[in-house]
Amino acid sequence: MKHFAVIGNPIAHSLSPVMHTAAIEALQLDADYTRVKLEIDQFDLEIRRFLASEIDGFNVTVPFKEKIIPYLDQIDPFAAKCGAVNTVKRSDTGWTGYNTDGYGFLEGLEEKRPLSIDDRILIIGAGGASKGIYLALSEKCEAPITVTNRTLEKAEQMLAAERSDRAISLEEAEARLAEFTIIIQTTSVGLDQTHFDLPLSLESLKKDTLVADIIYNPLKTPFLQAAEQKQAIIQNGLAMFVNQGALALSIWTGENPNRAIMKQAVLNSF
Ligand code: ATR
């Protein structure tokens, strides 16, 4: 039997176990998937113990995506570029780290429509999640990417030297919003369901713009609600969550899991 897990802290509300268990059952694999909470101030001791256990592969979530790297034997080039790992696999040569977040997001975006060189992409936010998405997009798509962030320097630092992408202030992004055909919201604004906060105003958003949020709880953030009012095509963060999980399961097992079943399992547990 194979054993998979997700490590993080907090981890009690992670929907990864329910999602992966549904995929494992549908594939009729002899495997299980559990959640493991590691103490932040005991990480060194606890991760060593965890790696010595009978585990074949695991996901890594907040706040360990960077901390895990020194414990790995190999790192996939894309994960190395991201500087963050969300998927780890055991093999004959030891532990290998991967990052499926950015490509998972991209798959979700392409469920709505294929990307084109004529697209003009705006990414809002310049944290860890944004970086993986920027790198996946910049590898797969020739359309220019603009990154906007409250702290402009962080957006500037993220840009790939070999591309002519740009970083702009939130004010400039707001003023030029109608130029963009794809807008991706990666900030944590919207997680707090008690406030109707937006990272920037969508007042001048054009109809039929593809607008994506990486947050999946709530399924429709204030940002997506505002975009929908402007008749945008919206994609929520559930697609990214499901696809990053499906890509991780493929890395561990070589199988192609049923994403619709995974998505339904998550929706059922809301
Ligand atoms: P993650 O790794 O999940 O992306 P993060 O690294 O903490 O999380 O990044 C959070 C992002 O949300 C950043 O882009 C942050 O902007 P700053 O770099 O200026 O901190 C953005 N963010 C958080 N709160 C915000 C707010 N109230 N308004 C605008 N941007 C905000």
Side-chain angles (χ1 to χ4, degrees), residues 62 124-130 149-151 154 170 186-189 199 214:
V62 181
I124 308 169
S130 168
N149 194 45
R150 181 177 58 181
T151 315
K154 273 170 73 183
L170 288 173
T186 75
T187 75
S188 45
V189 184
I214 66 164

Side-chain angles (χ1 to χ4, degrees), residues 122-123 125-126 130 134 145-149 152 155 158-159 166-168:
L122 177 68
I123 300 179
S130 168
Y134 172 77
I145 306 170
T146 303
V147 182
T148 183
N149 194 45
L152 186 58
M158 221 172 70
L159 302 181
R166 291 197 52 209
I168 61 175

Side-chain angles (χ1 to χ4, degrees), residues 85-98:
V85 160
N86 80 326
T87 301
V88 178
K89 182 186 180 180
R90 188 202 285 273
S91 71
D92 297 343
T93 52
W95 296 105
T96 307
Y98 302 86

Side-chain angles (χ1 to χ4, degrees), residues 190-245:
L191 273 174
D192 178 358
Q193 296 181 46
T194 59
H195 292 88
F196 197 91
D197 287 339
L198 303 180
L200 53 75
S201 161
L202 293 180
E203 196 46 48
S204 49
L205 184 70
K206 264 201 328 213
K207 181 175 177 283
D208 294 331
T209 306
L210 177 51
V211 177
D213 202 316
I214 66 164
I215 295 170
Y216 65 91
N217 192 8
L219 277 175
K220 207 181 274 178
T221 57
F223 192 77
L224 290 186
Q225 288 176 41
E228 203 173 39
Q229 280 174 7
K230 290 281 181 182
Q231 293 175 286
I233 302 162
I234 62 170
Q235 176 62 297
N236 64 38
L238 184 55
M240 175 184 185
F241 180 61
V242 168
N243 289 317
Q244 64 76 31

Side-chain angles (χ1 to χ4, degrees), residues 120-176:
R120 295 291 173 267
I121 304 172
L122 177 68
I123 300 179
I124 308 169
S130 168
K131 188 170 182 188
I133 289 169
Y134 172 77
L135 290 172
L137 276 170
S138 63
E139 279 192 4
K140 289 283 174 193
C141 180
E142 287 176 76
I145 306 170
T146 303
V147 182
T148 183
N149 194 45
R150 181 177 58 181
T151 315
L152 186 58
E153 305 83 73
K154 273 170 73 183
E156 284 164 348
Q157 282 159 15
M158 221 172 70
L159 302 181
E162 68 277 14
R163 291 177 53 104
S164 48
D165 296 329
R166 291 197 52 209
I168 61 175
S169 68
L170 288 173
E171 293 71 29
E172 189 178 345
E174 216 169 77
R176 291 178 39 200

